[in-house]
Amino acid sequence: MDQTLAPITAPIPVRASSTDDPAELLRFAIDAHGLGAAALATLVDIRGGAARALGAHMAVAADGRFCGYVSGGCVEAAVASEALLAMAEGRDRTVKFGDGSPFFDIVLPCGGGITVAIHVLKDVGALRHVLDRLERRKAPGLAYSPERQTLEPIDPLPRACWLDRDFLTVYRPRTRIVLSGQTLEAQAVARLAEASGYDVIVRGRGEGAADIIDPFTAAVLLHHDLDAESAILEAALHSPAFYIGALGSTRTHRRRVERLTAMAFGQDDIRRIKAPIGMFGPTRDATSLALSVLADIAAARLVAYA
C-alpha cells in the first residue's frame, strides 16, 4: 500500500515577549538552544532612518517563538521567518529589508533600509560570557564573523560597528540609579525609575555608596539640606558615575559650590554636578520632577554610551 508523507510545515513566528533588554534576549536564546535550536538576529547596517541602533538583537527559537526588535515592529515577524529557514538549513544568512531589499512588500515606515545578520547558534558559550560580564556590571562585546559563521567574546569597543569583515556588538550593564533622600520627590523618582526598568538603590543619610557607584550609575541627591547630601555627594564626585544631580535652587547650588571649593574639589569635579537637577525648568510637584530627572539621566546615558 502506497503511503504519502505529510508535508513538513515551518512553525509560525509568535512573539514571546516585548522585551528589548539584551540580557533577557540572550537568556531566551540560551534557553531555546537548550531545547533544540536557536538563532540570534543582529541589526548590522542602517540605510537612512531606523527605529533601533546598530547591534540591536532578536532571538528566535526553533518552535517559532521570538523576542527583541531590529526595527519598530514592522519586520520582526519576517526576520523570525528567515531565522527559522536558516535553522532548517543549518546556515547563517544576511537579509535586507526596506530600501535595497528584494522584499518589495515589506516597507519600513521611516523610508530607510536595514540589514540583519542571522546567526544559527552552534553553542552558547559566547552568550554566557556576555551575561556573566553584565552580572558583574562589566561591559562585554561579541564579534560575529559571517564568513566563519562564528560568535566570539571580545573586549568591547565604544560603539557597535564593522571592523574589517567582522561585526562587533557592545553591551552595557543596566543603568543603576543611586538615590539619596527621604523626600516625597525621592519616592516619586524611585517609583518611576523602577517602573522604567532601572536598577534603583536607595541610600539614606550617612550610608555609604562608594562601592556601588560604577561608570553605568547615576547619582541622584534629593535633599533639602546640604549637610544631608554631603557624604554621598563626596562619594559620587570621587566615583566614575556618568551623571550626578542634586536638588536645589541656583542659590542653593552656589552655597554647595562654596562648600565643595573649601573642601578642595576642583572646578572640573564641581561642573559634573547637574544642579538644579533635571532636564526642564523648576517644577512644583514630585511627579513632574521625577519625569524631569529621569529624562535627564536617559539623555546623559545616551551621550555617554549610545
Side-chain angles (χ1 to χ4, degrees), residues 10 12 15 17 52 68 72 75 80 96 104 160 170 188 217 246 294-295 299:
I12 298 174
R15 178 169 290 282
S17 77
R52 302 285 161 173
V75 304
K96 292 183 178 181
F104 298 107
V170 61
T217 297
L294 292 181

Side-chain angles (χ1 to χ4, degrees), residues 216-228:
F216 311 102
T217 297
V220 176
L221 288 62
L222 299 177
H223 295 276
H224 293 290
D225 178 356
L226 292 181
D227 290 330

Side-chain angles (χ1 to χ4, degrees), residues 7 28 36 46 90 93 95 111 120 133 136 146 171 181 190 210 218 232 267 273 292:
F28 179 93
I46 297 172
R93 56 174 55 195
V95 189
V120 179
R133 294 273 296 178
R136 293 185 285 119
Y171 304 85
I232 193 166
Q267 289 303 305
I273 305 169
S292 178

Side-chain angles (χ1 to χ4, degrees), residues 228-246:
E229 73 175 28
S230 179
I232 193 166
L233 179 56
E234 287 184 51
L237 288 173
H238 286 300
S239 79
F242 74 88
Y243 178 92
I244 303 171

